[in-house]
Amino acid sequence: DSGVTQTPKHLITATGQRVTLRCSPRSGDLSVYWYQQSLDQGLQFLIQYYNGEERAKGNILERFSAQQFPDLHSELNLSSLELGDSALYFCASSVGGGAAATEAFFGQGTRLTVV
Amino acid sequence: AQTVTQSQPEMSVQEAETVTLSCTYDTSESDYYLFWYKQPPSRQMILVIRQEAYKQQNATENRFSVNFQKAAKSFSLKISDSQLGDAAMYFCAYSHRNTGNQFYFGTGTSLTVIP
């Protein structure tokens, strides 16, 4: 158990809908990273938050957004869903937010299926 | 842009034998980190080993070791005394020193361990 909790584990929804994925980082970790794993695109970095502030953006679509709350949990919001958004969405957390000196711990992911 | 290439989609090894997984990367940076992550059927991403580019000594973690060739931009993973529990998808990843755990992942190598 990595200590990173993602809910829900599985999600099935229809095209055009909006969903929210939740991530609770390990206790004491200030950074949260979101990754998407799909058959087409592989594993891609989406976005990072550090202590409530957006730190970096990767290949995140405009239809997607995220935030990190004062208790450090994070939510990834996916809207106007398309079939191609079906993927495994991972959250990872680490103590630091800059240099890669601190290990990142991954959650078990949320499997999103868009039908 | 950084790219990470894993040219072996699938590999197999006999239990107790040694196997080497290949990874090459492309970057114009001089200070970065390289990682090998393991993704078993449980789908959780687990850090296997990490290498800091400024360190010439190859990293080792028990049965896992790397061969880091900075000039050739090569980063292979050697698994000694393979065990059934080593069966998984293995991903090579790169991150720049200043961007923390924002990884660029390869496409993965599926490792089968034959009893």
Side-chain angles (χ1 to χ4, degrees):
Chain A
D1 183 6
S2 67
V4 179
T5 303
Q6 288 188 248
T7 56
K9 286 188 170 52
H10 302 275
L11 195 51
I12 301 175
T13 190
T15 54
Q17 294 299 304
R18 171 188 167 97
V19 298
T20 297
L21 313 183
R22 182 186 170 103
C23 170
S24 294
R26 288 190 327 151
S27 177
D29 285 359
L30 299 178
S31 263
V32 169
Y33 306 79
W34 286 97
Y35 284 86
Q36 178 195 59
Q37 185 177 25
S38 66
L39 289 176
D40 291 343
Q41 303 290 334
L43 268 160
Q44 289 194 106
F45 166 68
L46 296 179
I47 197 164
Q48 177 198 357
Y49 276 81
Y50 177 77
N51 203 21
E53 301 284 330
E54 182 183 301
R55 177 62 67 95
K57 266 186 174 180
N59 296 323
I60 189 166
L61 299 173
E62 286 191 8
R63 300 183 285 108
F64 296 0
S65 65
Q67 53 185 328
Q68 186 178 29
F69 294 86
D71 67 352
L72 301 177
H73 90 271
S74 177
E75 293 180 356
L76 179 66
N77 301 297
L78 315 176
S79 61
S80 302
L81 284 167
E82 302 174 359
L83 296 178
D85 297 328
S86 296
L88 189 54
Y89 290 85
F90 282 109
C91 165
S93 74
S94 66
V95 171
T102 57
E103 181 177 344
F105 293 85
F106 282 79
Q108 289 198 303
T110 293
R111 167 73 70 189
L112 173 66
T113 303
V114 182
V115 297
Chain B
Q2 286 76 19
T3 58
V4 178
T5 301
Q6 293 179 249
S7 58
Q8 307 155 313
E10 296 177 347
M11 291 282 285
S12 62
V13 62
Q14 207 76 30
E15 196 175 2
E17 296 296 309
T18 296
V19 65
T20 299
L21 309 184
S22 301
C23 172
T24 59
Y25 59 95
D26 186 24
T27 182
S28 58
E29 307 292 339
S30 60
D31 200 3
Y32 50 87
Y33 292 85
L34 295 164
F35 307 80
W36 279 98
Y37 273 89
K38 169 184 177 181
Q39 187 178 37
S42 68
R43 76 191 189 196
Q44 178 140 25
M45 298 289 286
I46 302 165
L47 178 65
V48 175
I49 200 164
R50 184 181 79 172
Q51 175 79 41
E52 298 169 2
Y54 67 88
K55 288 187 177 179
Q56 293 186 342
Q57 186 172 7
N58 289 324
T60 62
E61 286 288 342
N62 301 313
R63 299 183 293 108
F64 299 87
S65 62
V66 298
N67 183 4
F68 174 47
Q69 302 288 329
K70 191 172 185 179
K73 297 180 181 175
S74 169
F75 183 62
S76 61
L77 174 70
K78 185 171 83 171
I79 306 174
S80 304
D81 185 26
S82 296
Q83 300 175 0
L84 295 178
D86 295 333
M89 198 76 171
Y90 286 81
F91 291 94
C92 179
Y94 165 103
S95 75
H96 186 267
R97 185 178 183 84
N98 292 330
T99 56
N101 296 302
Q102 297 169 35
F103 302 122
Y104 293 87
F105 282 98
T107 51
T109 296
S110 178
L111 179 67
T112 300
V113 180
I114 303 165

